[in-house]
Structures are given as C-alpha cells and as structure tokens.
Amino acid sequence: MIIKKYLAKTETQAIEMAKEDLGKNAVVMNIKKISPKGFAKLFMKAKVEVTAAIDENIEYHTPENGGEKDKEEAPRFVPDIVADEKAESEKAASIEEKLNSLQKMLEKQISEKEEVTLSAEKDSSEEEKQPQPSKQEEKEETVSKEEYKARACKDLIRKQMQQSEVDEEQIDAIMQEIEASLPKDAALDQILAAMYQKIILMLGQPYTLESKEKEEKKGTKYVFFLGSTGVGKTTTIAKLASKLKLDKNKKVVLATADTYRIAAVEQLKTYANILSIPLKVIYSPEELGEMKDQMDSYDFCLIDTAGCSHKNKEQLKDIKKLLEQIPIADREVYLVLNAATKYRDLKEIADVYKELTDYSIIFTKLDETSSSGIMLNMRLYTKRPLSYVTWGQNVPDDIGKVDAQKIAKKLLGGKL
C-alpha cells in the first residue's frame, strides 16, 4: 500500500494531484486544512492537505483496457519460510516429499565424494595385488563404508547450518544429541529425518494472535509491541490490524504510546482511518488504565510503544509501567526484532526486555537478509516462541506466520 500527502490551495487541486500521481484508483483517506502560524498568517492563505492511498496488490479492471491490468505488477519478494494457510491440509504429504528431496541432494554430494575416494583406492590396488578378503573382512568393510557415509552426511548437514549462520554452540548441541540417539552406521534417511524433526521441535509452533488456545479466552486481548526505534512496529501493527478486521471480522482498536517520535501518531492515525477503526493516544502509562473501560468492548487492542534503545533505562521504565496497567492474563506481548541485526546485538536486546516481561518474537525486514539461522538461534537462546515474520511495506500482505518445517528444510540446505 502506498500512502502520500498532497498540499494545494484548494481541496480539488490537492485531489487532482493525488489522482495524477497515484492513478485514478487512488482513495482519499483524509482532508485537513493547514493554516499558517505567526506573522505568516497575515500574508499567506490557508492550504488543504489531502492524504491519499492506493493498494499496489489490487488488480484494477476498466472498460477502456478490456479488463486487463492497468500496469504490470513487478515480482514481489515473499520469504520461503512462511506458512501457507491454504495448504495446511496437504502438509503431511509435503513432509515426505521434502525429506526425499533433501535425501537425494545429500546422497548426490556423498556419492561424488565417495567416487573420488574409491578411484584413488582403485589406482593403488592395481599397483599391488591383494588376496581375496574373507567374509568377516567383507562385513567389516561394509560397516566401515556405512559409517563413512553417515559421517559424510553429518558433515554436510553441519556445513549447511553454518552457511545459514546457525550459532556454532547450537550446532554442536544438536549434533551431539543426534550422535547419541542413532547408531554410527545409521542410514542417510534416518539421520536426515532425525535432524529434520529435531529442528522442528526446537522451533516449536508459532504463537500468534489467532492461535487456537487463545480463541477460547473471552474478553479484550491487549497486545503490546516492543522493540527498538525503526524496527517496524507501527507497520507490523497495521498489517495485523488489517488481517484481524478484514479476514477475521474482529473488532479492533489501535492505541499508541509513541509520542516521542515525530509523526508517529499521524502514521498510525492514517492506518486507522483506512481501516475505519478508532485510535487512542496514550500520553502517560496511567492513561491506559483509565482508558481500559472504553476498550473492553473490542476483541483486540493493539498497542504501539515508543521505540527506544535497549540501553535507555528511563524509557524502559515507562514501558514497564505501561505493561503493568493491564493484568497479565489479559495481555499479549511481542518483541519485534530486525532479522538483519547481528546475533550478538539481538541477544542484548532480548535480555533487556526479558527483565520487563515474557514475550513472543516477531522478525521484520526478511527482505534485507538471506539468513534464517538467526531465528533458530534466538528461539533457542530466549526460549520464547516465534510468531510472525514481515517483509516489505505492503499493508496487509507482507506478513505471515513462521513455518517450522520450511525453516528446518532451509537450514538443512533444501530449496522449496
């Protein structure tokens, strides 16, 4: 979704500017009169500001073009670790298919290595004739080859996880558990299945606003979004609010305590206007408690908090006070993290917010990184559940639930 503002002498001129820039399908979301301040008001006339928006993802059809698209849609980035809600029923069959493709890939790489080794052995055996091996020696040789294949398989898996930037300590822990649970000469499919299932269990199920266990709880769910400045909290809230209202037909109210950042309230207000939902501005933590009675008639209250450095103790105290206005049983908290941030920095951020409250994790900006290992790292480090991932600025499309099976396959080197 593209949202822009246009300033002109009259409302008509401002709307014409919007239509010319965004196209005739642009929607006018807000019209505001801007009056000059101070001495300027003596010499300058008031102007009109129009806020307009257009959804890039909608295909517009007009009689003039015979139903064809007004413009070609550029290929859009979509991460390969997002759950496909339409394909949930086909998941069981796809698991076997994913494992088979991974096994073939590993077998090919191992056979290539084995051919080089066997070729070298053949060259040396031609120089010196050896006596025929006994049955016992043949058995030992077979076991040795199976062990070699198992080791080669594990080495390849380790290499793939390193390339995905999984933390070395986490890799060692996983490999040790696999070593202990399988025989040394385990078949490739055994090793692969064990690794695949292990990673899936470690990642766990995504803990989202639509999780089934939450549907049974009655009353308003107060959902807080915490995180550093610029991590994408406000846009993430807009995406989730859109999904909840448009897809789930839920009653949603937005609230913002981010009164520090310039235009932060205005940005969320624009999204609220688009969705035709109310917005509350919280100027102090205590105000949230006072507003609670007004918002108890809604299904969800999504609360944007001020982005701050995890080293700013004063702002963190304000966030803690804000959280305390809502009983633990009625609140959900999401820590929003940039997937492109260094693992060391993410650990510091997670540790600070851990002192404030429990939380689930949302990863943003997946279009800015090619590594998915950071998700497994943070899941294991924090012991907190993963939930959503986001990419791009399109509201509400660029958001999805984490798919543990897809992440596991990607970490093991498979392509979806």
Side-chain angles (χ1 to χ4, degrees), residues 16 23 76 80 93 114 116 137 192 198 204 213 215 218 278 284 345 368 378:
E16 286 177 355
R76 201 164 57 86
D80 52 10
E114 196 173 24
V116 174
E137 287 173 334
L192 192 57
K198 180 66 180 174
E213 61 269 23
E215 292 293 334
K218 295 182 179 180
S284 68
D345 294 334
E368 298 179 11
M378 290 303 292

Side-chain angles (χ1 to χ4, degrees), residues 51-107:
T51 301
I54 188 167
D55 193 336
E56 293 179 298
N57 301 302
I58 295 176
E59 296 181 8
Y60 296 105
H61 301 273
T62 62
E64 291 81 7
N65 61 19
E68 295 180 359
K69 295 181 185 178
D70 283 348
K71 59 179 180 179
E72 287 291 326
E73 289 185 16
R76 201 164 57 86
F77 171 85
V78 178
D80 52 10
I81 59 167
V82 177
D84 183 358
E85 296 179 7
K86 296 179 181 178
E88 288 292 324
S89 60
E90 302 173 7
K91 193 167 274 188
S94 66
I95 294 174
E96 185 176 351
E97 184 181 339
K98 291 174 184 178
L99 286 174
N100 287 339
S101 64
L102 280 172
Q103 183 179 341
K104 288 176 183 177
M105 178 197 71
L106 289 173
E107 283 177 342

Side-chain angles (χ1 to χ4, degrees), residues 154-164:
K154 292 170 189 173
D155 288 343
L156 282 172
I157 289 173
R158 175 182 286 275
K159 185 178 179 181
Q160 295 287 0
M161 295 181 75
Q162 288 171 336
Q163 290 176 349
S164 295

Side-chain angles (χ1 to χ4, degrees), residues 92-300:
S94 66
I95 294 174
E96 185 176 351
E97 184 181 339
K98 291 174 184 178
L99 286 174
N100 287 339
S101 64
L102 280 172
Q103 183 179 341
K104 288 176 183 177
M105 178 197 71
L106 289 173
E107 283 177 342
K108 182 181 178 182
Q109 294 183 47
I110 291 170
S111 64
E112 288 172 355
K113 284 187 176 183
E114 196 173 24
E115 283 176 10
V116 174
T117 305
L118 291 174
S119 177
E121 290 176 353
K122 184 178 180 181
D123 291 341
S124 62
S125 65
E126 287 178 354
E127 295 177 5
E128 184 179 353
K129 292 184 178 180
Q130 298 291 338
Q132 291 296 322
S134 64
K135 290 184 179 181
Q136 179 63 28
E137 287 173 334
E138 286 180 352
K139 185 178 180 181
E140 289 175 357
E141 184 181 354
T142 303
V143 172
S144 178
K145 284 184 179 180
E146 293 303 321
E147 288 183 9
Y148 166 78
K149 284 185 178 181
R151 285 197 302 271
C153 178
K154 292 170 189 173
D155 288 343
L156 282 172
I157 289 173
R158 175 182 286 275
K159 185 178 179 181
Q160 295 287 0
M161 295 181 75
Q162 288 171 336
Q163 290 176 349
S164 295
E165 298 183 15
V166 178
D167 184 58
E168 200 67 41
E169 290 184 9
Q170 306 292 6
I171 296 176
D172 289 340
I174 295 171
M175 298 307 292
Q176 285 174 12
E177 288 193 34
I178 296 301
E179 291 280 0
S181 62
L182 295 176
K184 291 183 178 180
D185 59 348
L188 298 188
D189 58 346
Q190 281 184 290
I191 298 170
L192 192 57
M195 287 292 300
Y196 186 75
Q197 294 299 332
K198 180 66 180 174
I199 293 173
I200 288 174
L201 288 172
M202 285 178 162
L203 289 167
Q205 290 297 314
Y207 195 68
T208 65
L209 293 176
E210 305 92 352
S211 296
K212 289 182 180 179
E213 61 269 23
K214 296 181 185 178
E215 292 293 334
E216 299 174 0
K217 296 181 181 179
K218 295 182 179 180
T220 306
K221 298 170 187 174
Y222 290 84
V223 189
F224 295 82
F225 296 81
L226 315 181
S228 305
T229 304
V231 78
K233 295 189 300 298
T234 305
T235 309
T236 300
I237 289 171
K239 292 172 182 177
L240 286 173
S242 300
K243 294 284 187 184
L244 289 170
K245 182 175 181 183
L246 303 177
D247 297 347
K248 304 292 182 180
N249 199 29
K250 299 293 185 181
K251 290 181 65 180
V252 181
V253 57
L254 301 182
T256 178
D258 187 2
T259 54
Y260 298 93
R261 187 166 57 90
I262 297 173
V265 175
E266 197 67 27
Q267 182 185 5
L268 202 58
K269 182 180 179 181
T270 302
Y271 288 126
N273 288 338
I274 292 171
L275 295 170
S276 299
I277 57 179
L279 170 68
K280 307 291 183 181
V281 182
I282 305 165
Y283 292 98
S284 68
E286 292 75 17
E287 282 191 22
L288 177 59
E290 296 169 4
M291 293 177 182
K292 189 174 182 301
D293 289 342
Q294 304 172 28
M295 297 187 284
D296 279 345
S297 60
Y298 293 89
D299 297 314
F300 291 92

